[in-house]
Amino acid sequence: MNATQRDDGLVGIYGGTFDPVHLGHIRTALQLRRELPFAEIRMLPAGQPPHRDPPEASAAQRWYMITRVTGPERGLVADDRELRRPGPSYAVDTLEELRAELGEARPLAWILGMDAFAGFDTWHRWREIPRLAHLVVMTRPGVREPERGPVADLLRERRAVQPQALTERPAGRILVWRVEPLDFSATDVRECIRSGKQPRFLIPGVIWSYIQREGLYGSAH
Ligand code: ATP
């Protein structure tokens, strides 16, 4: 923890597969760190993501990559708790663990993209999540806010207009935040590499060097 971080401030949890971590993740995390009252943002690679195919890169490889782009000087901290926990990585379990560690009063916010938020009602014990944390939903090009159904209802009930709402209480509000549009995903990065192209401008050079060294995503052709 550095001098600018406070041990009672808002903690952001940016979960994802990070297969691989790309500039869409890094730039949005840094933008949220700058624009919202976060004391720190924890980047948490999922061990076994419950809603998708298993990642191509191993847990150790995804952990290595995330630690290349995080650092306390950026206010981004890598957290390996989901990689260490056996079984599917459910956000609700992670948040219960963090609540127990950080205490009832500490404001926590789970950060997710609008695409992930649209399917929030399929998450394990999703109705309990707002009791444990706020949600910060990042806009994503081509993905509209849900207009009907349980996720739209949840958003209507809990929507925060101002970022300060996230520090006024420990959990329960949903803030939709416009992030600089970066219209690509880790799937696009993997496809770009597999087709023999260089993923310039999509991932940092240090991540590309590592992917080539490890022969990940079919880069060894
Ligand atoms: P994949 O294509 O493998 O599904 P992804 O990049 O969409 O990968 P994750 O690595 O699981 O997804 O991303 C973690 C979180 O970051 C998700 O909540 C996702 O919505 C969000 N995210 C990823 N890329 C962007 C982006 N370019 N802009 C905004 N949010 C993003």
Side-chain angles (χ1 to χ4, degrees):
M1 188 172 291
N2 67 29
T4 60
Q5 288 174 339
R6 295 170 32 214
D7 61 8
D8 59 351
L10 175 67
V11 175
I13 301 122
Y14 195 132
T17 313
F18 303 126
D19 184 29
V21 63
H22 56 66
L23 291 175
H25 303 127
I26 302 161
R27 291 187 47 182
T28 50
L30 292 174
Q31 184 186 342
L32 295 180
R33 170 91 176 94
R34 232 181 13 252
E35 296 178 349
L36 300 179
F38 284 116
E40 64 177 50
I41 293 182
R42 298 196 185 188
M43 309 291 285
L44 241 98
Q48 288 178 34
H51 292 107
R52 51 181 293 153
D53 293 337
E56 280 189 48
S58 69
Q61 287 170 324
R62 289 182 298 118
W63 175 249
Y64 181 86
M65 290 190 273
I66 206 84
T67 58
R68 295 305 95 185
V69 300
T70 45
E73 71 290 350
R74 295 178 149 187
L76 302 183
V77 181
D79 186 323
D80 67 351
R81 71 185 60 236
E82 291 194 346
L83 296 173
R84 281 188 279 109
R85 204 168 61 218
S89 302
Y90 293 125
V92 69
D93 296 334
T94 302
L95 286 168
E96 277 176 345
E97 250 181 65
L98 283 164
R99 261 286 155 243
E101 275 169 36
L102 300 173
E104 291 301 315
R106 186 85 184 252
L108 288 180
W110 188 275
I111 298 166
L112 72 175
M114 188 64 84
D115 54 320
F117 180 62
F120 187 65
D121 58 335
T122 64
W123 289 26
H124 184 56
R125 291 163 54 201
W126 67 282
R127 290 210 178 268
E128 294 170 49
I129 293 177
R131 262 183 261 139
L132 293 160
H134 302 293
L135 297 180
V136 170
V137 182
M138 304 178 282
T139 54
R140 210 165 168 184
V143 187
R144 293 177 53 179
E145 213 173 279
E147 281 166 11
R148 59 185 74 84
V151 178
D153 294 343
L154 185 80
L155 179 56
R156 238 187 326 273
E157 284 156 24
R158 297 184 173 269
R159 185 167 206 137
V161 181
Q162 296 295 335
Q164 298 89 282
L166 303 177
T167 52
E168 284 165 5
R169 48 163 115 166
R173 307 301 300 274
I174 303 176
L175 181 73
V176 176
W177 200 250
R178 243 191 101 68
V179 294
E180 192 183 330
L182 285 161
D183 193 5
F184 65 94
S185 65
T187 304
D188 300 322
V189 175
R190 294 193 297 274
E191 280 169 5
C192 169
I193 295 170
R194 208 174 312 286
S195 67
K197 291 190 266 208
Q198 299 224 351
R200 278 183 213 280
F201 312 117
L202 302 182
I203 55 176
V206 59
I207 300 296
W208 177 223
S209 308
Y210 178 73
I211 288 173
Q212 288 176 291
R213 215 158 57 233
E214 297 284 301
L216 273 168
Y217 315 117
S219 60
H221 40 223

